[in-house]
Amino acid sequence: MRRVFAREEVCIACRLCEVACAVEHSESKHIITAMRHEHPKPISRIHVEVDGPFSFAMQCRHCEEPLCAQSCLTQALRKGEDGVVRYNPDYCIACYTCMLACPEGAIVKASRGTWKGVAKCDLCPDREIPACVAICPNEALLFGEAWEWEAMQTPAEPPILARGGHRA
Amino acid sequence: MPKYVIVGNSAGGVGAAEAIREVDPCGSLAIVSDEPTPAYSRPGIAELVAGAKTVERIVYRDDDFYRKLRIETYFGRPAVRIGLAERKVYLEDGEELEFEKLLLATGGTPIRPPMEGADRAGVLSFTTVADALALRARLAAIGSGAGGEASRVLVIGAGLIGAACSDALVRAGVKPIVVELRDRPLNLLLDEPASELARRAMVKAGVELICNATVKEVLGRPDDDRSVGGAVLADGRRTDCGAVVVAVGVRPRMDLAAKAGLKVNRGVVVDQRMETSEPGIYACGDVAEAYDCIYGGNRVVPIWPGAYRGGRVAGFNMAGRSALSEDATVMNTIKYFGMSLVSAGEINVGGQDGYETLRRLDLDGPDAGRYRKVILKDNRVVGFVFAGEIERSGIVNWLLRQKVDVSRFKDKLLSDSFDLIDLPAELRRAHYGEATISQAQRQLGWGRRLSHAASPRTNGGIISGN
């Protein structure tokens, strides 16, 4: 499955991903209407963390072994057969065990009137590319398979000749 | 074809069944349970009492779960004996189930402290859907919410179950009286300052909390002696009430294991593979005494997430995929009476040799109710309690489970805004995508596949590898 990955070396902390996420998960999906007229305000499931020159955007990584879903006291959080960890508010009892379990701190509180629960990244089911990735001006958010991303972390080995041919 | 039998149909049993089917789609799989219903969320029964959810909304898995995973169900049919020699589980109704791998996920039995009059109608437990529905029916019968002393409910125990029950009662419009044996509420889960926060929240919600007390006798009603009408505490105090909920905790239900001669201590003793002293027989959840990574040895940790994850480890091993329970320990969230509290690991070891306590407490003032305590040993987090801001508590829990040396950033752990950015770069990077790759995939050399090709390119945020 394709997931979203973060790159702190190119993130410029513009927070456009937060805006795009909140709008995508609003009722109107329209930036002005969503931010000015919807109550409660739509919340973003991605958050940008900044410390001086360093920044990156954090959201659910849809872990292979999702501790949030494994710890969920109900079946509000489940990993689908496609690998996406989804949230169903109907079953949520707002115990927040998922927050205590998530190693990424990627689950946020949400409420609407008397209803209390959480919100998390759903990889934008209505879109081909998640809204945060689509809007990121600097490719600080990437969408791809885990092995593709992993390959980017380990630079390609140079051809044998270029290394002096000392390897058989 | 392997034959798997699981006794117990709650978090542990479901966790094991899901793990078995990830590895072995074919082997026959049966779940035995003395409860007649499909799996439901046991913590969710409080929602039934509060009237916030219906029985359909607290199911732990959907209707088609057992069919989809090809599980034979033996519900409402208690298992009475394990035959080790013949590898069989005997059910009360005479059915015999042959097994090759067996999981005991039988959970716990509510503890009923001895007191006179405990057989009167209206003395209830708080562990099953049946208990919750009985409590609701009792509330309707005694006219709770309408006021009057006889319509009050007395809850014995201010631990997690007692707090869950009394919070549900408050939400249902009943003001409970809570009697606690120890000197403070939630004493096993919280340290003293956090208990104080809990006590304040309970009292503010209208709970009458009586600590250092026990119930000596349950009294009958003046008009019907067989039905609860009041209670007498050990110190002689009397109170009127229409129901008594015994919520002092559960003890491992290990009679099946003990009778079969499996090694038992406080619970059924299992190794890190969740296997008992008898090869091929596993145990998990509230019945098991399993490895706790912070305690550094085996102990009974009756929590829901631990049961599911222990069941998952057991299930993998039963189906032939090696797995170890390495990072299991206590963790709890407490959301009752409007509180926002989390705790994990060892939290009542403050002041002991070798432990360092970091602490920040705001009992009064603008940040009232905010509390953070982190306990370190050898610069590794072994326990923490947070009240107030809990959204990033999972990161600290990760540091605890992974036994990360926090000496370089421990000053930041007490900040409400503590986040991944506060970690050193190499620890931070572990969160950009690593968690998505499982150990098995790593062993298969994921990410090395492209090593001789050019680095993957990106286009508009999409990675294109080949």
Side-chain angles (χ1 to χ4, degrees):
Chain A
M1 67 168 289
R2 295 204 288 178
R3 301 175 164 95
V4 179
F5 301 100
R7 289 201 292 178
E8 75 170 49
E9 58 277 18
V10 284
C11 176
I12 53 169
C14 66
R15 296 184 186 268
L16 280 172
C17 51
E18 292 182 0
V19 177
C21 179
V23 172
E24 178 65 22
H25 295 94
S26 68
E27 264 166 39
S28 63
K29 297 203 179 195
H30 181 271
I31 185 165
I32 306 292
T33 313
M35 297 301 179
R36 290 186 61 154
H37 303 300
E38 286 184 22
H39 301 285
K41 260 193 184 177
I43 51 170
S44 170
R45 292 105 204 272
I46 185 168
H47 65 277
V48 176
E49 298 183 29
V50 190
D51 182 16
F54 302 111
S55 66
F56 61 89
M58 198 61 215
Q59 73 212 104
C60 171
R61 293 281 175 248
H62 299 273
C63 303
E64 278 296 316
E65 291 283 332
L67 289 180
C68 60
Q70 292 176 5
S71 302
C72 181
L73 304 189
T74 65
Q75 58 165 343
L77 283 166
R78 298 269 329 254
K79 180 176 153 180
E81 277 163 26
D82 54 1
V84 178
V85 180
R86 291 191 181 82
Y87 172 64
N88 184 339
D90 291 344
Y91 294 109
C92 185
I93 57 171
C95 65
Y96 306 128
T97 306
C98 50
M99 284 180 190
L100 181 56
C102 175
E104 324 291 344
I107 296 173
V108 292
K109 283 186 184 176
S111 61
R112 183 175 286 268
T114 56
W115 177 85
K116 283 186 169 48
V118 301
K120 69 177 286 299
C121 165
D122 55 3
L123 290 177
C124 293
D126 300 341
R127 304 174 63 107
E128 200 183 330
I129 308 166
C132 54
V133 176
I135 205 165
C136 182
N138 226 15
E139 292 189 342
L141 287 170
L142 293 176
F143 190 50
E145 296 284 344
W147 64 267
E148 292 177 318
W149 184 83
E150 182 96 331
M152 292 189 63
Q153 311 308 303
T154 45
E157 279 179 41
I160 291 167
L161 276 180
R163 290 174 44 169
H166 58 271
R167 230 174 59 163
Chain B
M1 205 158 76
K3 288 182 162 62
Y4 309 100
V5 175
I6 296 171
V7 184
N9 182 35
S10 197
V14 169
E18 289 182 344
I20 288 170
R21 279 294 178 250
E22 279 180 34
V23 180
D24 179 358
C26 308
S28 80
L29 173 54
I31 296 187
V32 181
S33 168
D34 55 354
E35 281 190 81
T37 52
Y40 59 88
S41 163
R42 219 167 276 284
I45 64 170
E47 305 302 307
L48 299 181
V49 173
K53 281 198 184 353
T54 57
V55 175
E56 297 77 50
R57 280 286 193 249
I58 64 158
V59 292
Y60 188 48
R61 289 299 180 255
D62 288 328
D63 285 348
D64 58 354
F65 170 76
Y66 300 96
R67 187 182 52 76
K68 264 178 141 172
L69 261 56
R70 298 169 303 286
I71 299 169
E72 297 159 46
T73 55
Y74 297 84
F75 293 164
R77 303 170 69 176
V80 287
R81 192 166 71 85
I82 304 167
L84 285 189
E86 64 274 30
R87 306 296 263 188
K88 275 183 183 171
V89 175
Y90 298 91
L91 307 192
E92 197 181 54
D93 55 17
E95 181 86 50
E96 300 175 5
L97 297 175
E98 213 176 311
F99 67 83
E100 278 169 41
K101 307 281 178 181
L102 173 68
L103 175 68
L104 299 173
T106 46
T109 324
I111 299 168
R112 289 285 194 118
M115 54 188 180
E116 281 173 60
D119 53 348
R120 289 200 159 86
V123 180
L124 306 162
S125 296
F126 195 66
T127 352
T128 62
V129 160
D131 293 336
L133 295 178
L135 177 54
R136 236 186 125 68
R138 183 78 190 173
L139 294 183
I142 61 177
S144 260
E149 288 296 305
S151 68
R152 297 187 72 182
V153 175
L154 187 139
V155 178
I156 304 177
L160 198 57
I161 305 176
C165 181
S166 42
D167 173 69
L169 288 167
V170 167
R171 285 154 67 202
V174 183
K175 301 258 183 275
I177 307 156
V178 179
V179 176
E180 165 61 39
L181 172 70
R182 303 272 298 271
D183 59 346
R184 56 191 177 90
L186 295 158
N187 54 69
L188 287 178
L189 279 62
L190 301 177
D191 62 348
E192 278 178 27
S195 270
E196 172 60 19
L197 292 173
R199 190 192 64 76
R200 290 184 183 195
M202 289 172 89
V203 170
K204 197 174 159 200
V207 175
E208 185 184 339
L209 179 63
I210 308 172
C211 289
N212 298 312
T214 52
V215 173
K216 190 172 71 179
E217 186 183 354
V218 177
L219 304 170
R221 290 166 73 101
D223 56 336
D224 178 5
D225 191 52
R226 283 165 306 169
S227 183
V228 176
V232 184
L233 305 189
D235 61 6
R237 269 184 283 183
R238 268 186 72 142
T239 178
D240 290 334
C241 60
V244 171
V245 183
V246 185
V248 293
V250 295
R251 87 163 58 86
R253 235 174 101 185
M254 52 188 187
D255 23 327
L256 270 182
K259 268 193 288 176
L262 271 54
K263 189 180 172 195
V264 296
N265 187 29
R266 291 260 173 103
V268 180
V269 179
V270 293
D271 60 16
Q272 275 183 272
R273 303 171 64 248
M274 308 306 285
E275 195 167 24
T276 65
S277 58
E278 178 70 22
I281 301 183
Y282 297 74
C284 70
D286 292 10
V287 76
E289 190 181 289
Y291 180 72
D292 178 318
C293 75
I294 296 299
Y295 183 68
N298 278 31
R299 69 167 166 178
V300 178
V301 178
I303 62 166
W304 187 269
Y308 182 91
R309 297 193 70 213
R312 188 165 176 81
V313 169
F316 281 145
N317 286 310
M318 289 164 78
R321 181 195 287 178
S322 188
L324 286 181
S325 171
E326 289 172 309
D327 63 355
T329 189
V330 196
M331 65 167 199
N332 281 294
T333 62
I334 294 146
K335 52 121 182 189
Y336 312 115
F337 314 108
M339 286 187 289
S340 202
L341 256 163
V342 297
S343 81
E346 298 273 7
I347 47 140
N348 282 313
V349 290
Q352 292 181 26
D353 261 3
Y355 292 96
E356 180 186 357
T357 305
L358 312 172
R359 211 178 91 142
R360 208 195 81 205
L361 172 65
D362 308 304
L363 268 184
D364 304 292
D367 285 335
R370 299 225 156 186
Y371 176 48
R372 280 173 95 89
K373 179 169 95 169
V374 180
I375 297 174
L376 309 177
K377 191 183 187 187
D378 302 325
N379 282 317
R380 279 154 178 91
V381 179
V382 294
F384 63 90
V385 187
F386 295 165
E389 182 57 57
I390 61 163
E391 274 190 4
R392 305 288 185 269
S393 57
I395 301 168
V396 184
N397 203 1
W398 174 78
L399 295 170
L400 175 142
R401 287 195 316 271
Q402 300 292 317
K403 298 188 167 27
V404 173
D405 185 333
V406 299
S407 47
R408 279 180 294 168
F409 55 95
K410 66 182 174 191
D411 54 314
K412 293 179 176 148
L413 291 171
L414 290 187
S415 159
D416 275 344
S417 61
F418 175 76
D419 216 330
L420 290 175
I421 195 93
D422 296 312
L423 303 178
E426 79 278 6
L427 283 176
R428 211 155 69 207
R429 283 176 192 284
H431 294 269
Y432 297 161
E434 215 142 288
T436 63
I437 299 165
S438 69
Q439 206 56 39
Q441 289 164 341
R442 201 171 295 283
Q443 280 161 8
L444 288 170
W446 278 43
R448 307 277 175 267
R449 281 202 231 170
L450 297 183
S451 58
H452 293 289
S455 269
R457 274 181 247 280
T458 61
N459 183 10
I462 317 267
I463 314 177
S464 47
N466 337 328

